[in-house]
Amino acid sequence: MPKLEFARANPIPEAYWFLFDHSPGGISIATDPLCSTIIHNKKASRMLRIHAGGAFSHSSKEPPKVKVYKDGVELSAAEMPIQRSARLRDEVQNEVLEFVWEDGHKSISVWNTTPIYDESGVVRGVLATSEDISHYVLKEREARLDKEHLERVVREKIEEHARLRNEVERLDRLSLVAQMAASISHEVRNPITTVRGFLQLIMQRKSFFNYQKYYDLIINELDRANEIIGNFLSLSKNNNSMDREEQDLLATFHAVLPLLEADALMMGKKMVFMEKQVSKLWMNTKEIQQVLINLVRNGLEASPTGACVTVELFEDHRRVGFSVKDEGSGIPVSIVEQLGTPFLTTKASGTGLGLSICYDIARRHQADINVETDSRGSTFIFTFHKEQHHPELT
């Protein structure tokens, strides 16, 4: 029932209608106990996006196309504050509602309602006041979102700072390795080569034949020391302008597979290679072979006798790479976070340089190394990004 029809049916002085229309706050009147018709003054009408003095009720035969929420929960017609006042004969105070129209417009308002009784105490309607608080609530929400965004940015900056600090520490360690390598390479390698040569000469004499196993042991240890020095030298080469050519990853791996299969056989384990032809990549063949060798040997050492280490190639529209999966007992979380750090090792006789070399090679190839690990084993995934491995981009 529009306001004019309601005024004709209810002889209320014109002064009161003037106050109703021109009140600085929203005023709404349910004209029947079922709240099927609710008329609104100018302020409430603007807030509800209807013409001045129009009717707007969720209990009407044609409810408005707007959803109403309280604390994020959508309300039915019976749950609206005016309807509750009429049904429960009770006042509703300071109830905040959010109206959301189909076009995305939002209006947030606070409502107070009270039943209207006749002389006999029967509820004839409901009087409601409302105030549009959209500006304040939306500003508060915006401020909260800004605060959350700022907190997120701060967290990210702290994490980035921690990553940069770790990277600086890693580079410091690599610098130390480089200095050590430069100082010991000639001073140690040359005597080792000399001693190894004389041992081989002595082994050829018949009088020393009974001691051959001891000489073999000494030579093996000298070779191991030489290999450690080679690892130091490899880390010391901060070679970002390395020679790279377009190479076939499958063929690159085939060249070193016999060596790795022999290693596995000597340890009483197996190595399986899952072949797949993948796109060619711009890479340093020797360095990528070194990564494969280091990862497979680590996997073999981590796996029990009879276990299998699996190497698999993969490719999708963005990536090309390979994975090395072992059947060991997994890597502790505290160690996973530090993988690639020089001298970090869980092996009794390890140097902690093998993985450092792998990570350094990955960095030079703009590639990534990711690790998946649990109690059933670990998988190292070496990933090239295709957009960084085309001739025109190198």
Side-chain angles (χ1 to χ4, degrees), residues 32-49:
D32 62 275
L34 297 178
C35 303
S36 57
T37 300
I38 305 175
I39 60 173
H40 308 271
N41 73 346
K42 291 180 180 178
K43 184 68 177 290
S45 297
R46 284 197 299 271
M47 184 176 64
L48 297 172
R49 305 177 84 190

Side-chain angles (χ1 to χ4, degrees), residues 294-306:
N294 289 359
L295 292 180
V296 170
R297 284 179 172 170
N298 281 352
L300 289 170
E301 291 174 0
S303 301
T305 302

Side-chain angles (χ1 to χ4, degrees), residues 326-340:
D326 64 48
E327 296 180 355
S329 57
I331 306 171
V333 175
S334 59
I335 299 296
V336 171
E337 296 172 352
Q338 303 178 65
L339 288 176

Side-chain angles (χ1 to χ4, degrees), residues 145-159:
L145 290 174
D146 287 344
K147 178 175 177 289
E148 292 173 354
H149 173 70
L150 181 60
E151 290 174 344
R152 185 169 60 254
V153 169
V154 170
R155 285 196 303 271
E156 291 172 353
K157 291 297 182 183
I158 291 174
E159 292 171 357

Side-chain angles (χ1 to χ4, degrees), residues 70-298:
K70 175 187 174 184
D71 297 328
V73 178
E74 185 177 357
L75 302 182
S76 64
E79 295 172 317
M80 299 288 287
I82 294 178
Q83 284 82 341
R84 292 206 322 271
S85 273
R87 187 177 73 256
L88 303 176
R89 301 166 64 91
D90 194 12
E91 293 184 355
V92 174
Q93 294 185 347
N94 300 321
E95 188 158 296
V96 177
L97 303 180
E98 182 170 358
F99 292 74
V100 181
W101 279 263
E102 291 182 329
D103 62 1
H105 178 81
K106 294 181 180 180
S107 175
I108 303 166
S109 48
V110 58
W111 291 75
N112 293 276
T113 66
T114 185
I116 300 173
Y117 300 93
D118 62 12
E119 295 80 357
S120 60
V122 176
V123 174
R124 293 300 183 184
V126 177
L127 173 66
T129 62
S130 58
E131 188 65 36
D132 189 346
I133 58 172
S134 303
H135 175 76
Y136 308 103
V137 174
L138 294 177
K139 281 292 183 183
E140 187 274 333
R141 288 182 183 176
E142 183 179 343
R144 186 171 68 250
L145 290 174
D146 287 344
K147 178 175 177 289
E148 292 173 354
H149 173 70
L150 181 60
E151 290 174 344
R152 185 169 60 254
V153 169
V154 170
R155 285 196 303 271
E156 291 172 353
K157 291 297 182 183
I158 291 174
E159 292 171 357
E160 181 181 3
H161 176 73
R163 287 194 298 270
L164 289 174
R165 184 177 59 194
N166 290 336
E167 181 64 14
V168 169
E169 292 175 354
R170 188 186 74 85
L171 292 175
D172 285 342
R173 283 190 288 267
L174 289 177
S175 176
L176 174 63
V177 170
Q179 294 174 25
M180 293 174 63
S183 64
I184 69 175
S185 59
H186 293 293
E187 298 298 328
V188 178
R189 260 188 161 176
N190 289 341
I192 286 177
T193 303
T194 302
V195 171
R196 192 182 190 284
F198 275 105
L199 284 171
Q200 288 176 319
L201 287 174
I202 292 172
M203 287 171 60
Q204 295 175 9
R205 297 185 178 183
K206 294 181 181 181
S207 57
F208 292 96
F209 183 78
N210 293 332
Y211 302 98
Q212 183 169 356
K213 63 179 181 180
Y214 299 114
Y215 288 116
D216 287 339
L217 177 61
I218 295 171
I219 289 175
N220 286 337
E221 288 301 300
L222 289 173
D223 288 342
R224 193 168 77 88
N226 201 40
E227 182 181 357
I228 291 172
I229 294 171
N231 287 339
F232 275 105
L233 290 172
S234 178
L235 273 180
S236 71
K237 296 175 183 176
N238 189 18
N239 184 14
N240 290 315
S241 59
M242 61 190 176
D243 293 332
R244 284 189 287 179
E245 297 178 352
E246 190 177 36
Q247 299 288 345
D248 186 327
L249 194 58
L250 182 60
T252 297
F253 282 7
H254 270 304
V256 295
L257 284 178
L259 170 66
L260 296 173
E261 289 169 348
D263 285 348
L265 185 62
M266 291 177 62
M267 296 182 187
K269 304 166 189 179
K270 293 190 300 181
M271 193 212 72
V272 173
F273 181 51
M274 309 289 287
E275 293 196 12
K276 179 178 180 178
Q277 188 64 55
V278 296
S279 300
K280 290 186 176 182
L281 296 164
W282 282 75
M283 61 185 181
N284 183 297
T285 301
K286 290 184 178 179
E287 290 200 335
I288 298 306
Q289 287 174 340
Q290 185 65 53
V291 171
L292 179 66
I293 291 170
N294 289 359
L295 292 180
V296 170
R297 284 179 172 170
N298 281 352

Side-chain angles (χ1 to χ4, degrees), residues 375-392:
S375 59
R376 296 170 296 179
S378 302
T379 303
F380 283 78
I381 305 166
F382 193 100
T383 304
F384 297 93
H385 302 282
K386 285 185 176 179
E387 70 273 12
Q388 295 174 343
H389 287 273
H390 292 287
E392 63 271 19

